[in-house]
């Protein structure tokens, strides 16, 4: 014997009739097919520092090669300045050589004068400073 349930409108598969018979409110049943659209923002109860957010960009292979080349020269320059100022009481942080300013100067002699002027307070020998300036300008030409 097969039991069949027929709703008031005559449709045996009408879910509202089944829900009414079971005394269940239709709104209380969560629909598993629809995603929850609520956004829950949580605060950090431990008071931890917020995570830093960085904007990243994707560069082409050529552009990345140029960036790496430039960074290599910048890091070399930083290391050399550390060595030049190592024996001095002042730190190398006081010496700031902007590679862009050097590249903006077109004349080679003016570039040398510009860099030597920045290093006038250095207590390193003139020979070491001249070697640094010459090597820096050679590396700057590759950029």
């Amino acid at each position: 014997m097969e039991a069949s349930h027929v709703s008031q409108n005559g449709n045996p598969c009408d879910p509202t009739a089944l829900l009414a018979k079971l005394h269940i409110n239709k709104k209380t049943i969560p629909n598993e097919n629809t995603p929850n659209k609520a956004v829950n923002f949580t605060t950090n109860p431990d008071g931890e520092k917020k995570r830093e957010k960085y904007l990243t960009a994707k560069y082409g292979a050529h552009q990345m090669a140029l960036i790496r080349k430039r960074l290599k020269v910048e890091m070399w320059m930083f290391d050399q300045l550390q060595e030049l100022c190592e024996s001095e009481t002042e730190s190398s942080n006081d010496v700031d050589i902007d590679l862009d300013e050097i590249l903006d100067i077109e004349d080679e002699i003016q570039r040398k004068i510009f860099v030597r002027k920045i290093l006038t307070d250095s207590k390193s020998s003139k020979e070491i400073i001249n070697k640094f300036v010459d090597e820096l300008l050679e590396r700057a030409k590759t950029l």
Side-chain angles (χ1 to χ4, degrees):
M1 174 182 199
E2 188 175 308
S4 162
H5 183 75
V6 180
S7 67
Q8 294 173 348
N9 63 7
N11 186 353
C13 296
D14 186 20
T16 54
L18 292 173
L19 292 174
K21 182 170 175 117
L22 295 172
H23 304 292
I24 298 175
N25 187 353
K26 187 176 177 182
K27 294 181 183 177
T28 60
I29 298 175
N31 188 347
E32 294 177 10
N33 295 333
T34 59
N36 186 0
K37 294 182 181 176
V39 178
N40 296 326
F41 293 100
T42 57
T43 58
N44 195 349
D46 301 330
E48 293 178 21
K49 183 181 175 188
K50 288 179 93 175
R51 196 171 132 192
E52 296 291 328
K53 296 179 182 176
Y54 297 99
L55 176 66
T56 57
K58 185 174 181 178
Y59 294 102
H62 179 70
Q63 186 69 27
M64 278 306 295
L66 294 175
I67 291 170
R68 283 190 190 99
K69 187 186 288 188
R70 168 72 179 246
L71 190 59
K72 187 176 179 182
V73 172
E74 293 267 359
M75 294 304 294
W76 174 87
M77 183 173 64
F78 178 77
D79 292 340
Q80 293 300 312
L81 286 173
Q82 293 282 16
E83 289 179 21
L84 282 174
C85 299
E86 186 176 88
S87 62
E88 301 175 28
T89 56
E90 65 186 56
S91 68
S92 64
N93 294 336
D94 296 338
V95 179
D96 185 27
I97 299 176
D98 188 358
L99 199 54
D100 286 324
E101 288 183 38
I102 295 171
L103 294 173
D104 288 341
I105 301 171
E106 293 185 21
D107 185 35
E108 183 79 17
I109 295 170
Q110 292 299 321
R111 285 181 179 180
K112 286 183 180 184
I113 293 170
F114 176 78
V115 176
R116 285 187 184 128
K117 187 185 247 186
I118 293 172
L119 297 172
T120 53
D121 294 336
S122 175
K123 295 182 176 117
S124 296
S125 70
K126 293 282 184 192
E127 181 181 306
I128 294 172
I129 291 174
N130 287 338
K131 182 180 175 188
F132 167 72
V133 170
D134 291 339
E135 196 167 342
L136 174 62
L137 295 180
E138 281 300 314
R139 290 175 186 249
K141 284 180 186 176
T142 64
L143 300 178

